Amino acid sequence: MIVAVKIQTVKTKELKLDIARIGTVSAILTQPDKARACYVLAHGAGAGMRHASMDKIAEGLAARDIATFRFNFPYMENKQGRPDQPAVAHATIRVAVEEAARLCPGVMLVAGGKSFGGRMTSQAQSKAPLPDVKGLAFLGFPLHADKKPSTERAEHLAHVEIPMLFLQGTRDGLADLGLLKPVIAALAPKATLHEIEGGDHSLAVLKKSGRTNEEALTEVLDTLAAWIDSLA
């Protein structure tokens, strides 16, 4: 018996983005040969685009025929400690989206990212739609600071007119689900919540949960890929 085996070709391209009046940052396109979508993936506040978790997300999505376009915010590129002001982050995201669209013509675009990166993306979208972006996906939306429950950071989401996916850990100290769930309910039907049982803000789980971080990541990526397919 002959068994057909799918051979996947994944191209990785490193490049630079010029942000007008701000500077230049690095970016990475991870592109499977038959990508059906591209996720413009912004990093969190504490780790840049080359962090191991970002690598795993890009590799996992490539295996699901989804490209990723990662990039550094200027503060991370220049090894500065404090995240950029929102206007700088928004400008960087817009250039990243434009470059992803240029490099992946005809492929559906979604945007978002981890924590700070996802929130900055949603802010940018709320101010003026990101060209050709069909949905926003958040890998741990930071609803509030640690131990400071609030919903102020979500107020701008009412001005986002495209579908949103919230992938949230049930142990997330930066997103009290008791506060986040009503926010998402008020945004229905354009917002969807998927809870990662036992996940923290990084969507990592405890050993005593009975499953590994790799298994939790599989759930995250399977859910994200299925949601992207639902937008088509």
Side-chain angles (χ1 to χ4, degrees):
M1 181 176 67
I2 298 176
V3 178
V5 177
K6 178 182 177 182
I7 299 176
Q8 173 107 283
T9 301
V10 179
K11 298 178 182 178
T12 300
K13 182 176 183 178
E14 301 214 8
L15 57 152
K16 297 290 185 179
L17 302 180
D18 293 320
I19 318 299
R21 298 182 296 280
I22 294 173
T24 301
V25 298
S26 302
I28 303 173
L29 173 65
T30 303
Q31 188 176 28
D33 54 358
K34 294 182 179 179
R36 63 183 186 276
C38 179
Y39 182 32
V40 182
L41 173 60
H43 63 74
M49 68 173 186
R50 297 183 189 277
H51 189 267
S53 65
M54 299 287 278
D55 287 339
K56 289 179 180 178
I57 292 167
E59 292 168 3
L61 288 177
R64 292 163 174 81
D65 296 325
I66 297 171
T68 54
F69 189 90
R70 289 177 277 166
F71 58 95
N72 275 338
F73 287 110
Y75 79 95
M76 187 62 67
E77 184 77 9
N78 298 317
K79 297 180 172 59
Q80 298 171 339
R82 179 173 295 184
D84 299 308
Q85 292 296 312
V88 172
H90 300 167
T92 305
I93 289 164
R94 291 190 183 281
V95 172
V97 167
E98 291 171 3
E99 187 68 2
R102 186 184 72 82
L103 294 171
C104 302
V107 171
M108 183 173 64
L109 289 183
V110 295
K114 294 175 66 68
S115 195
F116 170 81
R119 183 164 70 96
M120 290 298 103
T121 301
S122 62
Q123 285 185 358
Q125 175 70 28
S126 73
K127 291 180 178 297
L130 297 165
D132 299 319
V133 169
K134 303 303 182 185
L136 302 181
F138 309 113
L139 307 178
F141 186 86
L143 184 62
H144 51 74
D146 190 32
K147 298 180 182 178
K148 295 182 178 180
S150 168
T151 60
E152 291 180 5
R153 289 183 178 179
E155 291 175 355
H156 68 281
L157 297 175
H159 302 290
V160 173
E161 299 298 334
I162 57 177
M164 292 173 277
L165 173 66
F166 294 78
L167 290 150
Q168 301 287 152
T170 59
R171 294 189 302 114
D172 190 341
L174 277 63
D176 183 329
L177 287 178
L179 295 176
L180 183 60
K181 286 181 178 180
V183 167
I184 293 175
L187 295 169
K190 61 185 177 182
T192 301
L193 170 65
H194 182 90
E195 298 176 33
I196 305 301
E197 184 60 39
D200 62 12
H201 188 59
S202 298
L203 304 175
V205 295
L206 297 172
K207 288 183 178 180
K208 66 181 181 180
S209 69
R211 62 175 178 164
T212 65
N213 286 334
E214 288 71 23
E215 289 169 332
L217 179 60
T218 295
E219 179 184 349
V220 168
L221 298 182
D222 284 347
T223 302
L224 176 55
W227 177 79
I228 288 173
D229 288 341
S230 76
L231 302 179

